[in-house]
Each structure stands twice: as C-alpha cells, then as structure tokens.
Amino acid sequence: GGFDVVPESRQKEIDREQAEQAFAQLRRAVEFHPDHPLLYLEIGQIYLNRFDDAGQAAPWFLRASEQPGAPYHAARIYAELLRRQGKNAEALEFLKDLYQRLPDDDPLAHKPIVLERIHELEQQLNR
C-alpha cells in the first residue's frame, strides 16, 4: 500500500529515523569538507522540508551562506526563515548587510528581490 497507508505517527517515526541517518552522513561529510555550502544547505533543507522547522533550519542556511562559493539563495532563505519566526528586525538587518555585499552585475544574486524584501520589512516595522 505504500507510505500513505502507514499511520501518521509511524510516518513521523520513519521520517525521523531517515533524517537521523542523513544527518549522521552529512555531519561526517562536513568533517572532511567543512567549507562546502551544499552540505549545510542539505541539513537545513531536511529540517525545513521534512520537519517544517524554521528554527532548526535557519542556522544551517546561515552557515551555508557563509561558506566560500555559497549560492546566493542560501542567504535569502535564511532571512525568510527569520521572518517566519517573527524575527523581522533581525531579518531586516541581515538583508541590509547582504544587499551591500551582493554584486551588481550577477543576475543570480537577485539584488532587486533583496531590496524589495528590505522595503517590505521596513514597512512592517515602520522604519
């Protein structure tokens, strides 16, 4: 019958077991490749997509964004996770700093999107 016919409580147990196995492998990989942003992103994605836990996911997206060659979206996702947790002032400051560091000539940086999010947060915070 597949995963869908398994009781929800058992589905959650299976998710937790599989996630723990993934976390163990990813932490081992981080030992050998501590500056590889995709490893941190993957841990964050598991917390976010499998467990819908923005609080646990956010630090991993931040760590990913701090690594050399990190994809730009890691930082934007981190800021969004701060917003989901009601940390709008912290998200605003992070995005302002990020905006200053983003290159003007790389469309993948999505600098206009970051600026739009800054304006949204400023309006919400009446700044």
Side-chain angles (χ1 to χ4, degrees):
F3 191 70
D4 293 334
V5 299
V6 174
E8 187 175 337
S9 62
R10 181 62 184 132
Q11 288 178 7
K12 288 181 181 184
E13 289 176 32
I14 292 169
D15 282 344
R16 176 62 60 192
E17 291 168 5
Q18 291 177 344
E20 289 304 324
Q21 291 176 18
F23 290 148
Q25 293 298 321
L26 288 163
R27 286 187 184 106
R28 185 162 156 60
V30 166
E31 290 177 22
F32 293 98
H33 307 282
D35 59 351
H36 199 300
L38 298 182
L39 297 172
Y40 301 105
L41 277 176
E42 191 62 33
I43 295 170
Q45 290 284 4
I46 293 169
Y47 279 117
L48 184 59
N49 296 324
R50 186 59 74 178
F51 300 116
D52 193 27
D53 190 336
Q56 289 283 348
W60 294 103
F61 282 94
L62 177 61
R63 285 184 73 182
S65 75
E66 295 170 338
Q67 304 311 307
Y72 298 117
H73 69 272
R76 291 193 310 273
I77 293 172
Y78 172 69
E80 178 58 29
L81 294 175
L82 290 175
R83 287 176 64 169
R84 287 186 192 181
Q85 296 175 79
K87 299 177 179 179
N88 291 345
E90 190 176 340
L92 176 60
E93 294 309 312
F94 179 82
L95 286 172
K96 284 180 175 180
D97 180 61
L98 175 63
Y99 185 80
Q100 297 301 318
R101 293 183 282 123
L102 289 174
D104 292 322
D105 59 346
D106 188 344
L108 295 176
H110 295 288
K111 204 166 181 177
I113 291 173
V114 173
L115 185 59
E116 182 180 313
R117 291 180 182 167
I118 289 169
H119 291 312
E120 288 172 5
L121 284 166
E122 285 175 337
Q123 287 180 335
Q124 289 175 0
L125 295 168
N126 296 316
R127 291 189 183 178

